[in-house]
Amino acid sequence: MRNEQLNSQRNDTNISKSRNNTKLTTMLWLSLVALMALLQGSGAVEFTFDLADNAEDCFYEEIKRNTSAYFEFQVSAGGQQDVDVTLKDPQNKIIYSLERATFDSHQFTAETTGVYTACFSNKFSAFSHKIVYVDFQVGDEPSLPGVDEHATVLTQMETSAQAIHKALNDILDAQTHHRLREAQGRKRAEDINQRVMVWASLETASVILIGLVQILVLRNFFTDRKPSQARYGRL
């Protein structure tokens, strides 16, 4: 009897371990599938650049006909946080234009195949440079491998893979916007700190100057002026 009980306990332990290993393997597989889908991604370009004062920078992206594209920008620091933005098609025709803008997005479908140009201008500002974030996505996001390729009902594992994929995309978007807000806050704090330091230095210099002037004036009041010998000779 004791041997049978020991064997049953060992069997239960092995079954529970195998179930845990199966769950762990399933979770790792789902995470790997979602990460592979993110790495594949669509033709997206995401970057931040420094736009000098009184300058204009242009970026180029080749887009095929009838392909959807999403264009987004945001000025995170510099001056009044505004730039002039122009988006042109391969025939140099303006399809999107905005002046003195801080943040905006534009979605369009390419009518012709060719190189599209996105230009950012800071020519109206002669002193302050700008830091601009750009997100240029071309085409639809590819489907998850082995998940969205069939029309049958999704299994529980495939549904979980889709949910993980969407959650990771949401996390990436949230991290990007939080980084932009953090950069704006840091730049604003640095500007305020610099202004406070300059103002405090001017106040300190003014106080020292006023103190020196007061000392000189008081010394002049209490100085004993002796009459000159020439004045006594005249008398």
Side-chain angles (χ1 to χ4, degrees), residues 23-235:
K23 291 181 179 179
L24 181 60
T25 304
T26 302
M27 292 302 297
L28 290 175
W29 184 85
L30 292 176
S31 301
L32 181 61
V33 170
L35 288 175
M36 288 176 61
L38 284 179
L39 291 176
Q40 290 178 357
S42 57
V45 178
E46 187 178 7
F47 59 93
T48 302
F49 71 98
D50 191 352
L51 181 60
D53 53 280
N54 198 19
E56 182 180 13
D57 289 340
C58 295
F59 303 92
Y60 307 91
E61 183 71 21
E62 184 175 0
I63 306 176
K64 295 182 179 180
R65 184 181 179 182
N66 296 329
T67 302
S68 61
Y70 177 78
F71 174 72
E72 179 183 356
F73 73 93
Q74 181 175 350
V75 183
S76 59
Q80 300 297 324
Q81 298 183 357
D82 52 352
V83 293
D84 294 340
V85 184
T86 303
L87 186 62
K88 301 179 181 179
D89 62 4
Q91 284 74 31
N92 207 26
K93 178 183 176 181
I94 297 177
I95 59 177
Y96 171 77
S97 178
L98 205 60
E99 295 182 355
R100 301 293 183 91
T102 300
F103 168 83
D104 198 20
S105 60
H106 178 67
Q107 188 169 5
F108 65 97
T109 301
E111 297 181 356
T112 58
T113 301
V115 177
Y116 287 73
T117 306
C119 293
F120 298 87
S121 175
N122 193 28
K123 292 184 178 180
F124 57 85
S125 178
F127 301 100
S128 60
H129 68 279
K130 312 293 175 60
I131 298 177
V132 185
Y133 162 80
V134 180
D135 185 9
F136 206 158
Q137 300 180 6
V138 178
D140 297 329
E141 186 177 3
S143 60
L144 290 174
V147 176
D148 297 334
E149 297 176 355
H150 55 83
T152 59
V153 179
L154 298 179
T155 63
Q156 185 176 1
M157 183 179 294
E158 292 171 344
T159 304
S160 300
Q162 282 188 335
I164 293 174
H165 177 66
K166 184 178 182 302
L168 289 175
N169 284 331
D170 294 340
I171 290 172
L172 290 176
D173 293 339
Q175 286 180 341
T176 300
H177 288 290
H178 280 300
R179 289 193 187 99
L180 291 174
R181 292 182 181 179
E182 189 271 337
Q184 289 179 348
R186 183 176 66 252
K187 181 63 177 177
R188 185 173 301 175
E190 291 176 353
D191 292 340
I192 294 175
N193 180 57
Q194 185 178 3
R195 292 179 183 180
V196 171
M197 290 294 296
V198 171
W199 183 252
S201 300
L202 292 176
E203 286 185 339
T204 303
S206 301
V207 170
I208 294 174
L209 180 61
I210 292 173
L212 292 176
V213 172
Q214 287 180 346
I215 291 173
L216 293 176
V217 171
L218 290 175
R219 287 185 62 184
N220 191 25
F221 285 163
F222 292 98
T223 300
D224 186 11
R225 300 180 180 179
K226 296 181 179 180
S228 61
Q229 296 294 333
R231 188 174 181 181
Y232 278 112
R234 293 176 183 176
L235 294 175

Side-chain angles (χ1 to χ4, degrees), residues 12-24:
D12 294 338
T13 304
N14 292 329
I15 292 172
S16 62
K17 288 182 179 180
S18 61
R19 289 178 179 176
N20 293 331
N21 293 330
T22 303
K23 291 181 179 179
L24 181 60

